[in-house]
Each structure stands twice: as C-alpha cells, then as structure tokens.
Amino acid sequence: MAKFALRLEARPSPSRLMSWLSPVLAVLLTVLCGALLFIALGHDPLAGLAVFFVEPLRDAHGWSELGIKVAPLLLIAVGLAICFRANIYNIGAEGQLTLGAICGGAAALYLDDGVGGAGSIAIIGVSLLAGMAGGMAWAGLVAWLRDRYNASEILVSLMLVYIAQLLLSYLVYGVLRDPEGFNFPQSKLLSDGLLLPMVISDTRLHVGIVFALLASLGGWLYLSRSIAGFRLRVGGMAPAAARYAGFSSRKTLWSSLLICGALSGLAGACEVLGPMGQLTPTVSPGYGFAAIIVAFVGRLHPVGVIFSSFVMALFYIGGELAQSRLGLPSAITGVFQGILLFALLACDVLIQYKLRWRKHG
C-alpha cells in the first residue's frame, strides 16, 4: 500500500523580495494567531487586538511610552545584529544590560550629592560611560573565553546572564541598599538632576531614544560603509574566504562582542537613569532576550531593527494594557513574542523550501 509523506524540498532560487517581506508576513500571522488566542480565552478578538495594537497609538502619551520601550530594545538589537552578522551568537545581552545598569547606577549613586547642580550633565555622561564599560567588560569575558579556550559563546554568554542578575540582587540587598528604604531591596532614588533629560515635555520619553536612533545609524554606517564592517560581514558569510584574504577572526570576535556589550550596557544605564531612577533587583523585563527576536525580525539590519523594535514595544505596552483592561496574565506578552518568532521561522522555511507530497512504497 502506497504511503505519502510531506517533505521539504529546497527551492532552486529563493525569492529575495519574499525574504524581505517575511517579517511583515510574520507580524500579520502573529496578529491572526493573537485573534485566535483571544477567542480561545473568551474575549472579543477585535477588542483584544485593539488593546495591543491601537490603544498605545491613540495619543502622544502612548507614543512616548512606546519610545521608552523602543530605546533599550533598539540599542541591544543593533549590537546583536552586528554580532550575528559576524556569526558570533551572543545570547547574553540581558546580562550585559544588567552589568551596564549596575555600573552606571553605582557611578551615579556615588557621584550624587543629593542636589544635582551644575555638574549634572557631566555626572550623567560619566554614568553612561560607566554603563557602557560594564557591558563591554561582561561581553569581553565572553570574547576572552571563546578566544582563549574556544568556549561556546552561546553557553558562556547565557550563563553570565544569571551571574549578573545574582550580582545585582546581592548589591541591592547589600551595599547599595537605601538605608532609609525600610529594608526594601532597592537603592536610593537618584536626584532629579541626574536623570536623563526628556525629549518631549510632560512625558517620560528620555534621550535614550536619541541614543538608540544614533546607534542604528552608526551600525548601518559601520556595516555598509567601513572596511572593518566589510571584513566582519565577509567573516560571517564566508569564513574560509575571510581567512584566505587575511582578515582576522579574532578582531571580528572581539570587536562585535565589545560593540554589542557597549550598546547593551548603555541600554541598562539608560534604564536606571531614565524611567527607573534607582537600582532594583530587576532592571529589565527581558529586553536582552526579546532583542534577539527583534534582531532577526529586522533581518539583522541596523535600520531594519527600528521597525521590529517598534513591534516588540507594542507587545510590551499591549501586554500591560491587556492585564489591566482584560484581566489577562502578564505572560501574554511572552506569548505574543513567541508567536512572532515561530511565525518568522515558518515564513523563512517556506521561502527557502517548498512542501512536497512524496509517495513511498
């Protein structure tokens, strides 16, 4: 008796146009699956989708809150795009963000005189640089272990995330805890003069969004207009050709990880000096992990990730609104993120392959 099996058959020439439209199709599939999810949960799908994708865009306040989420996602995603283009799979940007928050926050707390006078801008600058240095140091540890002992950067960077989070908890429960904070695990609040300047008055949108957009532009110039970026891209696409041309794989390893670490650390410092205003046991709702999805949805392009970081920010704001208005659990944000990732993977597979029924027997 004949049997049929569904097989994947490689396409002779995958569509370049469809490869760029794949993220858009993935977002549309995510919206469709989200509607089905709301139906399964007993909610009006149109009302649920409106909460996720329309409510955050109704007024300037909603747009400013989106910008707050876009800033760290975009900063990290630009760095990850550079790493992934070099075939360096840095999965630990969350840990580099956390170290940036620790170093930037500790520097601001140390230099804070409680007034925030004329030197505030200088202190903010020093704190941001300290955050970038912290992120670079944490990413540099990954680069050193990979370079010296050929350790997997995937495992090392991921494990360092948990060390960074435990270090943050140790500090806010210990030496950085506010002595007047009623024993809560948090540092004292930074003076108003040490918080990042606002881009739009009467909102919480700070200059971190400007840093993120500049990082996106700088990442594009680095990858497409510099010799170092060309070497990095060649090393990622054709390692053998890069070695033949004399390009240093060590330089690619160190430069990509340090750039990503610096941008992730900057994101962490901006969170502490921006909307949080202090150090707490949790400085990120998972931006470092979500930015991995952002990077791939943005096609590992420093400008493309602007679009994908905006979509991911919608998921965060929409998830918060779904909790308060629809009574849904906080996990709804992670569900939408997972759906987007799997939808993108499915679209990419079908662009590269086509389904065929094969007869056996």
Side-chain angles (χ1 to χ4, degrees):
M1 183 178 177
K3 295 182 180 180
F4 291 88
L6 194 61
R7 301 294 181 113
L8 289 173
E9 181 179 302
R11 297 181 184 273
S13 56
S15 170
R16 184 174 178 83
L17 174 62
M18 288 304 299
S19 69
W20 285 103
L21 290 178
S22 177
V24 178
L25 294 176
V27 172
L28 295 177
L29 283 173
T30 303
V31 173
L32 177 60
C33 292
L36 297 175
L37 176 63
F38 286 125
I39 292 173
L41 294 174
H43 292 280
D44 181 356
L46 294 180
L49 292 176
V51 167
F52 257 84
F53 300 104
V54 178
E55 287 294 328
L57 308 177
R58 284 191 180 277
D59 52 30
H61 176 266
W63 281 93
S64 67
E65 292 298 309
L66 273 175
I68 293 173
K69 302 290 187 184
V70 167
L73 288 169
L74 182 53
L75 279 169
I76 301 169
V78 170
L80 289 177
I82 292 173
C83 273
F84 296 158
R85 291 283 285 271
N87 266 337
I88 306 297
Y89 288 95
N90 175 21
I91 309 299
E94 182 79 1
Q96 293 144 35
L97 177 150
T98 303
L99 253 291
I102 291 172
C103 294
L109 289 168
Y110 178 77
L111 297 172
D112 189 359
D113 58 4
V115 179
S120 298
I121 297 298
I123 294 175
I124 290 173
V126 169
S127 301
L128 293 178
L129 290 174
M132 295 176 69
M136 290 176 70
W138 216 239
L141 184 55
V142 178
W144 179 72
L145 289 171
R146 165 69 186 273
D147 185 27
R148 181 69 176 81
Y149 300 104
N150 199 31
S152 168
E153 74 275 12
I154 297 175
L155 294 177
V156 171
S157 61
L158 182 59
M159 293 300 102
L160 284 174
V161 171
Y162 304 105
I163 297 175
Q165 292 173 342
L166 290 172
L167 176 60
L168 174 61
S169 294
Y170 171 78
L171 292 173
V172 295
Y173 276 95
V175 295
L176 293 181
R177 184 169 57 185
D178 185 1
E180 300 178 1
F182 302 100
N183 215 32
F184 284 100
Q186 59 191 29
S187 72
K188 69 176 183 178
L189 289 168
L190 294 172
S191 301
D192 290 343
L194 297 188
L195 299 179
L196 294 176
M198 298 297 114
V199 175
I200 303 175
S201 58
D202 300 324
T203 69
R204 299 195 305 153
L205 185 60
H206 52 78
V207 296
I209 188 63
V210 178
F211 298 152
L213 293 173
L214 289 176
S216 178
L217 175 61
W220 174 73
L221 291 174
Y222 173 74
L223 286 175
S224 63
R225 295 292 186 271
S226 72
I227 296 176
F230 172 74
R231 291 174 176 171
L232 182 144
R233 288 187 289 115
V234 171
M237 291 186 294
R243 288 193 297 270
Y244 181 78
F247 297 165
S248 173
S249 59
R250 294 186 69 222
K251 285 184 179 179
T252 298
L253 170 70
W254 279 93
S255 61
S256 59
L257 278 169
L258 291 179
I259 290 172
C260 186
L263 293 176
S264 300
L266 177 60
C270 285
E271 285 298 292
V272 176
L273 275 66
M276 294 181 64
Q278 63 181 157
L279 280 170
T280 65
T282 303
V283 297
S284 163
Y287 291 138
F289 295 119
I292 297 173
I293 304 175
V294 171
F296 280 105
V297 174
R299 280 295 179 252
L300 303 184
H301 194 287
V303 177
V305 294
I306 296 176
F307 160 75
S308 53
S309 61
F310 175 80
V311 173
M312 191 62 70
L314 272 177
F315 289 170
Y316 276 110
I317 300 296
E320 294 171 1
L321 292 175
Q323 291 178 64
S324 60
R325 299 189 182 183
L326 302 178
L328 295 178
S330 60
I332 191 68
T333 297
V335 171
F336 268 84
Q337 291 175 356
I339 292 173
L340 177 61
L341 176 59
F342 280 104
L344 179 69
L345 292 174
C347 290
D348 285 349
V349 167
L350 293 177
I351 288 170
Q352 299 292 327
Y353 300 89
K354 52 187 174 182
L355 294 172
R356 290 289 191 190
W357 285 102
R358 292 288 183 88
K359 184 178 179 180
H360 297 277

